[in-house]
Amino acid sequence: MTESSVHPALWPAPHATGAVDATVTVPGSKSVTNRALVLAALAAEPGWLRRPLRSRDTLLMAEALRSMGVGIEEGVGPDGSGEAWRVIPAGLHGPTTVDVGNAGTVMRFLPPVATLADGPVRFDGDPRSYERPLTGVIDALRVLGARIDDEGRGSLPMTVHGSGALDGGPVAIDASSSSQFVSALLLSAPRFNQGVEVRHTGARLPSMPHIRMTVDMLRAVGAQVDEPETGGEPNVWRVSHSALLGRDLTIEPDLSNAQPFLAAALVTGGRITVPDWPEHTTQPGDALREIFTAMGGSCELTERGLTFTGSGRIHGIDVDLGEVGELTPGIAAVAALADSPSTLSGVAHLRLHETDRLAALTKEINELGGDVTETADGLHIRPRPLHGGTFHTYDDHRMATAGSIIGLAVPGVEIENVATTAKTLPDFPQMWTGMLGA
């Protein structure tokens, strides 16, 4: 093991000397790419994914599906218009081992797929992946007829003993720790013999936009879905057994990964344009238009994309982020630079993400001179003058981008292991310095 892998190099976060003014092309959505890969792998015919995200999480998903027999060819689209992946469904099989890294979508979406494989599929990953909850998926799959060996942990590592099919049917789960438990079951449900009826029985269900994304993408490939948003029973989703269509899908830009760049406009009083921002989307990142406007900016959505402009002032905010929890680190970073206090609520589930994001944000902002306190379900942030120092990331990509936002306004901030941004946003350091004209 090299010295740099033990003590990842510190990256001096660029300090802005004036207002930013740039166009930033954001790569494709991780959430859409990984859902699209699963649905294409389970389809009855080949399909295309155009402009997919190439990042650690999506490459782990693609390699896992390949290991179970799915053909995924990387190249250009049929009309030669940019990068595209050709997904060729095949009979799923084991034995194989899936490396989930620390990707929630891989560790949760693929065990239901593995039940349809002929043979055992072992799941393993980064040390942190062992601490992330999987009980909702494991218990539900057992109720639906699967055989899973997790030695009673309710977490990784584990082996799914695929039998080539799964009965499916009704199941009740507590998905209050992750909406991915629901999405995981819905994505594979058309291939279950009886489909599935998923009933959420716990407390508030977080990140509902991600479930809406799953439902919309299922319908786009021909699945029949009954869900609360369209008059169904509250907290109940039903997916019928059916064949899935192979589609030609263009992946939207990842709006959550646009967050640090929009924040740069807010922090520096500048202007950022993100091309191809969709007019209608289920991505949680679309909420940034409203949230960052309330914090002092303004935005305009045109055919070219979204242009966000900072006013030169940052206001505190009292906001429930329960549906868009992944935006919390970037919002907390901006709030630490505001002219009034902020309260971010509805995000207790962030303690179970890539790291305990609430504890990590509190510690790192406070060590730069901030005044952040944890609440039962979020953070209270009182702005104070900040100073330079090391901002630790805990192998969490959104911690790295949060520290970079603060570095725009605070000289001397150094980001530990900025390379962790490769999880969802490859080339972030180069994109960041390019935005600043460096």
Side-chain angles (χ1 to χ4, degrees), residues 3 66 69 90-91 108 134 146 187 202 219 242 278 303 393 423:
E3 182 69 17
R66 286 190 184 107
R108 291 164 182 155
L134 268 178
L187 286 168
R219 287 175 172 157
S242 67
E303 290 184 358
T393 64
K423 176 179 170 68

Side-chain angles (χ1 to χ4, degrees), residues 81-240:
S81 59
E83 183 175 8
W85 293 353
R86 178 73 161 165
V87 182
I88 305 169
L92 301 173
H93 62 76
T96 189
T97 296
V98 167
D99 176 11
V100 308
N102 190 19
T105 51
V106 181
M107 72 179 72
R108 291 164 182 155
F109 292 178
L110 288 188
V113 175
T115 67
L116 303 171
D118 184 9
V121 180
R122 178 172 171 79
F123 289 85
D124 208 337
D126 297 353
R128 171 63 180 173
S129 71
Y130 293 8
E131 303 172 24
R132 300 185 68 180
L134 268 178
T135 305
V137 174
I138 294 171
D139 290 351
L141 290 176
R142 285 177 174 148
V143 169
L144 297 175
R147 179 182 159 219
I148 299 175
D149 178 13
D150 67 337
E151 297 181 357
R153 285 183 299 267
S155 62
L156 296 179
M158 68 178 188
T159 299
V160 177
H161 296 275
S163 59
L166 192 72
D167 290 339
V171 64
I173 63 171
D174 180 354
S176 56
S177 62
S178 177
S179 68
Q180 289 176 352
F181 294 171
V182 174
S183 288
L185 298 170
L186 300 184
L187 286 168
S188 293
R191 290 283 301 272
F192 299 165
N193 294 336
Q194 302 173 41
V196 80
E197 177 188 280
V198 180
R199 183 179 300 271
H200 167 61
T201 60
R204 177 182 179 180
L205 189 59
S207 304
M208 279 296 297
H210 278 130
I211 297 181
R212 295 184 196 117
M213 177 187 295
T214 298
V215 169
D216 284 358
M217 292 183 69
L218 276 162
R219 287 175 172 157
V221 295
Q224 295 181 329
V225 187
D226 176 38
E227 46 98 23
E229 294 289 316
T230 53
E233 190 177 348
N235 290 327
V236 177
W237 294 261
R238 296 181 181 90
V239 180
S240 302

